[in-house]
Amino acid sequence: MSEPIRAQEALAIVLPSLDPDKKIRGVIEGLVEKGFQRIVMVDDGSDADHQQYFTEAEQYEAVTVLHHGYNRGKGCALKTAFRHVLDNMPEVRGVITIDGDGQHLVDDIIACGERLLREGDAVVLGCRDFDQPNVPPRSVAGNKTTNRFFRVLFGIQISDTQTGLRAIPRSLLETMCAIEGDRFEYETNMILQMKRAGIRWVEQKIATVYDEEDYSSHYNAVKDSMRIAKIMFKFKFGRH
């Protein structure tokens, strides 16, 4: 019996990044050490003070760095990477999107990739457990509020609607490139369009990791939840 194809060989990592810090080094090193052969990193208009991290990443044979001349947004960066995979990596069977702050553990990234290879045509969402005691209360409130909006407005049952860890089959990348949204709204639009198009998704449980200092300076439960709610109401009641 032949050995199953490993996620590290069959899938490409997609890593959008804006003004990364030293944590990105550990992310790249961890992926390479575990055997990922194709890592597509998108510099989304980072300033000169942060270019060293992209230069360091390019020293790895497995890493391709694409550059936006100015900040175009996370959604645009993801679509730039998807298009690069479609146009330049015919052997790749799908992608795994991750964040560069270290909150996605490499073993969880591999688990999502392996699940994608087993499922075939489904998007795999790496979902955190917000009922764990180490999760900041603001994050619990924000995530559960957003999940409730998805459930009430669209009948979508997802335990972590804001996850950035998503494994997507190659057959859906063209569709993902056509979804509206250039910034953070893109990831919300992705879920909404998956529901509308009847695209199947499955959840893969992953570790819930927080850097308290980084989290405290970037996360606003009320503001972020309302931003997502605005996107959903526009999708529900606006002109498509």
Side-chain angles (χ1 to χ4, degrees):
M1 178 180 291
S2 60
E3 290 291 324
I5 299 176
R6 299 195 312 156
Q8 295 96 312
E9 299 164 352
L11 307 175
I13 295 292
V14 167
L15 175 54
S17 186
L18 172 65
D19 294 338
D21 60 23
K22 61 184 180 182
K23 290 192 290 291
I24 199 72
R25 291 172 176 155
V27 172
I28 297 294
E29 288 174 2
L31 292 167
V32 172
E33 287 175 1
K34 286 288 188 176
F36 278 97
Q37 300 176 4
R38 301 169 189 84
I39 302 167
V40 182
M41 190 177 184
V42 181
D43 165 21
D44 188 29
S46 300
D47 62 31
D49 291 338
H50 295 85
Q51 288 301 313
Q52 62 175 345
Y53 297 108
F54 299 104
T55 301
E56 291 173 4
E58 285 179 309
Q59 303 310 305
Y60 293 100
E61 183 179 354
V63 179
T64 299
V65 179
L66 308 176
H67 296 273
H68 287 169
Y70 59 94
N71 176 234
R72 297 169 63 184
K74 185 179 183 181
C76 191
L78 288 169
K79 287 184 274 190
T80 292
F82 295 164
R83 178 55 58 191
H84 179 83
V85 170
L86 285 171
D87 292 346
N88 299 280
M89 299 179 176
E91 72 283 4
V92 166
R93 295 172 59 176
V95 303
I96 310 172
T97 68
I98 69 170
D99 296 329
D101 55 7
Q103 69 168 299
H104 298 144
L105 304 183
V106 180
D107 285 346
D108 286 334
I109 294 170
I110 293 172
C112 287
E114 291 177 344
R115 182 76 181 274
L116 174 62
L117 294 175
R118 293 196 303 270
E119 296 287 344
D121 63 346
V123 173
V124 179
L125 303 175
C127 294
R128 298 160 289 181
D129 182 359
F130 289 91
D131 291 325
Q132 293 185 13
N134 65 311
V135 182
R138 284 183 300 159
S139 185
V140 175
N143 190 274
K144 290 191 174 183
T145 297
T146 302
N147 292 353
R148 192 172 298 115
F149 281 134
F150 272 93
R151 185 176 66 253
V152 172
L153 290 175
F154 302 99
I156 296 175
Q157 295 277 2
I158 296 177
S159 62
D160 185 1
T161 55
Q162 300 176 57
T163 180
L165 177 50
R166 305 178 181 193
I168 305 168
R170 184 186 188 90
S171 60
L172 293 177
L173 290 182
E174 198 72 58
T175 297
M176 297 303 174
C177 288
I179 292 174
E180 292 185 359
D182 288 340
R183 299 191 177 274
F184 285 100
E185 77 276 8
Y186 173 75
E187 290 178 308
T188 297
N189 287 341
M190 182 189 293
I191 293 176
L192 296 175
Q193 291 291 358
M194 283 163 52
K195 169 70 173 180
R196 171 180 286 176
I199 294 172
R200 189 169 66 92
W201 67 78
V202 296
E203 296 191 3
Q204 177 69 36
K205 186 176 180 180
I206 63 173
T208 309
V209 179
Y210 283 96
D211 181 322
E212 187 59 38
E213 181 178 347
D214 185 66
Y215 171 81
S216 297
S217 64
H218 289 88
Y219 188 77
N220 185 307
V222 174
K223 181 179 179 181
D224 290 348
S225 295
M226 293 310 298
R227 172 176 55 82
I228 294 171
K230 182 178 179 181
I231 295 168
M232 289 190 286
F233 275 96
K234 181 179 179 181
F235 188 92
K236 179 76 172 180
F237 302 110
R239 182 167 59 89
H240 302 312

